[in-house]
Structure formats: C-alpha cells, structure tokens
Amino acid sequence: MEIQTVSWNVKQLIRMSERETLLFNYPIQRGGGQWKHLQKSYLIHSLAQSYPIPPVYFLGDKQQILNEKNVLQTVVIRWILDGKQRITTMIEFTEDRFKLEKSTPNVFIEGEEFEVADKFFSELDAEVQDMILSRSILTYTVAEESTSDEEIEDLFFRMNNGSPLTVTQKAKALMGVQWAERITKVGNHTLIEDIAAFSKTQLKADAHLTAIIQTMMMLDDYNYKNVSQKIISEYTQSFKSDSEKKIQLLEEVEKSLDYLIHVFNKKEPVLLKKVNFPMTVIAARKAIADNISHDDFYNWSIAFKEAIKENADSITYISTDYKDFTGTGSTDRHKADGRMKEMLRHLSAYMELHSK
C-alpha cells in the first residue's frame, strides 16, 4: 500500500474541492450532516485557536484531465475516506452557511482577544479569518492503483473502529483538567473498585464517574429535569464557575464513600449498583450527620433490601415504596428524587424504631 503524506492549509483544501480534485462521495463513506452545530463551531474555533486537528485520509487516483488551456494534464483525484465532516464544515463556514454557536469561546491571537460567537465567517475579524484559512491539515493519501478494494475496506474499518467517547468522557474534557483529576481520584476509591457493583463495561465507560457526579447534582440546588448522562454532562460545565461549592459537595461524597467502606466488607450487588449508588451515598451522608454507627447502618441495609423485595410486608417492620420509583423512566427527576427521599425516610424510620 503506497501512502503519501502532505500538509495542506484550509484555503488549499477548499480550492481542491472547487476544482473537483477533492471528492466526498466515495461509496463506503457515510453521508454528510453528521455533526451538530456545536461540533462544527468547536472545529472552527480549534482552527482559529491553533489547536491540533486530526489528520485526514484520502484515496488518490491519478487521472488525466483537460486544464484551463485545454491541455491534458495528469492530476490526482482524491476521495475522502476519513475527515469528511471536518472538511465539509470548513467549506460551509467559509461560505457563510452557518454562524458559530453562541457559546463559542473567544479566540486569542498573538495576545489579542477576538469575539467569534454567533458570527458568520464574513463577520470575523481579518486576523481570525486569516488564521482559519492558513491552518495546515495533515493528510494521508492512499494510492488507489496499489491498493485492493479489500485493503481499502479494511483501512476504512480500522479508521472507524475506535470507541466513540461516552457523554461522561466528553464531560471530563469540558469540566477541565483539574476537575477531571478530582473526579477521577474519587472514582478510584476502594469502595468503587472492590465493593460497588459496577460492571467492567460500566467502569470502562466511566459510569462510576457519572454516578459520583449525579450524587453531587442531587445534593446541589441545580435545576435538573432528569439524571440522564446528557443533563449530568451539562451540570459539569458549572464546576469552574462554582468551584468552592462543588469542591465541598465532592468532599462530602468522598467522606460518604469512606464511611461505606467500613459498612460493607464484600460486593454489595443491590444498594451499590449504578441506579441505587447515588441514593446509598446520600443515605451514608445522612448517617454521618446523625452519628449512625457502621453496624447500625449495615443492619438497616439488610432490612431495607428485605423491604424492597416482592411480598416483603411479612418479613419487615417497615414497608417502603422505593420500587415505585424504579423501572421505566427511572432517570426522570421525579423517580430519582423519589428513590432518594424514600430511602432516607426508611433509614430515619428504622433508626427511630430501633433506638427505642
């Protein structure tokens, strides 16, 4: 397989498209319009801010065409194998086919700050326009003449075989390095690694970090409509502007994990599975505030698990409606808050009964 490596700037790539020596319709390439407005805006911001841009992959075919002087000329026609959304976004923006998203950050060029949010390309300052058009993009061109269809298909599969970032993994980037480090540190807590009931797949997708952030969000005065990953990701974007309070909430979560490690000495498959994890951590926070001993909390946990079983009324002193807030739609705020309040109610009722 023969591969050529070249860097072209955005202006050159646009010109190649105009001359139809750069094509977007290779049969195995997915259709356009895959990116949302915010994704497009951040690509343009990355170009203007000199952030790294992933390389683009082409399939090149030497062809003879008539040039402007009506003379046969050998040129390389390139089909995009990977990078279609990037290049079409660049073309669309420079043609004023969309404005940058309103939340797009300002751009800094040689110490000078430029506003770019909610602007067409033609509305940007000349310095920003020049920076975008002059940005070099690394490209790899695979020669079609030396590559079989099977090799092209295999190459395309390999380029698109990476696991996409989960919402939580993207949120880690948006919250910033310092906050990502803090959340990851708590996520490595012994309770999560040895006691909690997160599957290997959930841990790989950072579901345990989602659960930690959900716990913080439920303790906060954040106006959330549900506890979906999307809403939790949006919540993380408030971390930088409200660091003092968020640090306090995360410390409370960590103290609750420290408490729970003294309660359970083996895997807890019910109370510490993902859907129940935030509620149990919040219950542990209450136990700390109320000076409930580890042994008493453990005894309560047994009673609570019995209470949420089917036909549990005959085996427990205290009933609970906890299960009414599980099942379909369990990420809705009504159900998430319902689970939290019902678990806390049951804990209080149990402790009151057994303190007599």
Side-chain angles (χ1 to χ4, degrees):
M1 188 183 296
E2 182 182 335
I3 301 176
Q4 179 188 31
T5 304
V6 180
S7 289
W8 279 298
N9 63 38
V10 172
K11 189 174 183 177
Q12 289 172 313
L13 290 170
I14 293 172
R15 188 179 298 122
M16 290 163 64
S17 173
E18 292 171 346
R19 293 176 176 174
E20 296 186 335
T21 57
L22 179 59
L23 304 176
F24 303 87
N25 57 349
Y26 196 72
I28 61 175
Q29 175 62 266
R30 64 178 178 174
Q34 301 289 325
W35 281 12
K36 295 181 180 179
H37 188 199
L38 187 61
Q39 289 175 288
K40 293 182 177 182
S41 297
Y42 268 88
L43 172 68
I44 301 302
H45 181 269
S46 295
L47 291 170
Q49 195 60 76
S50 297
Y51 288 164
I53 304 296
V56 173
Y57 292 81
F58 300 133
L59 180 67
D61 178 31
K62 291 181 180 179
Q63 296 183 11
Q64 286 192 324
I65 62 171
L66 291 173
N67 62 19
E68 296 173 352
K69 297 180 179 180
N70 208 30
V71 176
L72 279 176
Q73 178 183 357
T74 301
V75 298
V76 177
I77 304 297
R78 290 174 170 83
W79 284 272
I80 297 178
L81 290 178
D82 185 66
K84 179 175 181 176
Q85 310 304 320
R86 274 164 271 157
I87 295 181
T88 54
T89 295
M90 297 171 196
I91 293 172
E92 289 170 5
F93 183 66
T94 56
E95 292 178 349
D96 276 357
R97 289 158 65 182
F98 70 91
K99 286 185 176 183
L100 294 180
E101 214 272 344
K102 292 181 180 180
S103 65
T104 307
N106 291 347
V107 168
F108 293 84
I109 300 175
E110 296 181 351
E112 188 173 355
E113 184 175 6
F114 300 90
E115 291 184 0
V116 298
D118 201 31
K119 290 186 178 182
F120 287 111
F121 177 80
S122 61
E123 296 173 333
L124 298 176
D125 293 276
E127 292 89 339
V128 181
Q129 292 181 354
D130 291 341
M131 181 63 73
I132 292 171
L133 292 174
S134 64
R135 275 300 307 277
S136 290
I137 308 297
L138 178 64
T139 72
Y140 296 94
T141 300
V142 179
E144 185 179 48
E145 60 188 8
S146 64
T147 311
S148 67
D149 287 346
E150 289 76 15
E151 287 176 319
I152 293 170
E153 291 166 1
D154 184 45
L155 179 62
F156 186 79
F157 171 80
R158 289 167 187 260
M159 287 187 298
N160 290 276
N161 195 38
S163 299
L165 292 176
T166 64
V167 175
T168 305
Q169 290 163 347
K170 291 177 181 178
K172 286 170 67 179
L174 290 172
M175 72 175 72
V177 174
Q178 291 184 347
W179 265 108
E181 289 176 348
R182 289 189 184 109
I183 297 292
T184 301
K185 176 178 176 292
V186 178
N188 292 332
H189 195 281
T190 303
L191 180 89
I192 291 175
E193 293 186 343
D194 298 336
I195 306 297
F198 293 98
S199 67
K200 290 182 179 179
T201 300
Q202 288 176 328
L203 290 171
K204 187 176 181 180
D206 285 346
H208 59 306
L209 304 185
T210 300
I212 289 169
I213 299 167
Q214 178 187 334
T215 307
M216 294 172 61
M217 185 175 74
M218 294 182 70
L219 291 172
D220 207 345
D221 56 0
Y222 188 74
N223 185 25
Y224 62 96
K225 63 181 180 180
N226 57 52
V227 292
S228 66
Q229 286 193 329
K230 180 177 183 296
I231 298 299
I232 292 169
S233 175
E234 291 174 359
Y235 172 67
T236 63
Q237 296 180 48
S238 68
F239 282 16
K240 292 180 182 178
S241 61
D242 191 20
S243 287
E244 187 174 342
K245 183 175 183 181
K246 300 303 186 289
I247 288 172
Q248 178 186 346
L249 290 171
L250 186 59
E251 287 176 347
E252 291 182 19
V253 170
E254 190 169 17
K255 287 177 183 176
S256 297
L257 300 185
D258 291 340
Y259 177 91
L260 290 170
I261 201 69
H262 296 289
V263 173
F264 304 107
N265 58 12
K266 61 180 180 179
K267 284 285 185 183
E268 174 44 56
V270 178
L271 296 183
L272 290 179
K273 69 178 182 180
K274 185 175 183 292
V275 68
N276 297 325
F277 182 93
M279 295 74 199
T280 305
V281 173
I282 292 170
R285 174 176 175 263
K286 175 176 174 56
I288 294 171
D290 293 348
N291 293 315
I292 297 172
S293 71
H294 301 132
D295 288 343
D296 285 344
F297 191 91
Y298 177 74
N299 292 334
W300 162 79
S301 73
I302 295 174
F304 183 75
K305 285 187 288 183
E306 289 292 323
I308 60 178
K309 288 181 180 178
E310 296 293 338
N311 304 316
D313 288 344
S314 62
I315 56 175
T316 181
Y317 292 108
I318 306 168
S319 63
T320 177
D321 295 327
Y322 189 87
K323 289 196 70 173
D324 293 346
F325 301 101
T326 59
T328 304
S330 61
T331 61
D332 290 344
R333 180 171 188 170
H334 168 70
K335 286 201 170 182
D337 282 355
R339 292 197 298 279
M340 176 182 67
K341 292 174 182 177
E342 188 59 19
M343 184 180 285
L344 293 177
R345 184 202 65 78
H346 191 276
L347 175 63
S348 295
Y350 177 90
M351 293 303 163
E352 182 178 353
L353 178 66
H354 289 270
S355 67
K356 294 179 180 179

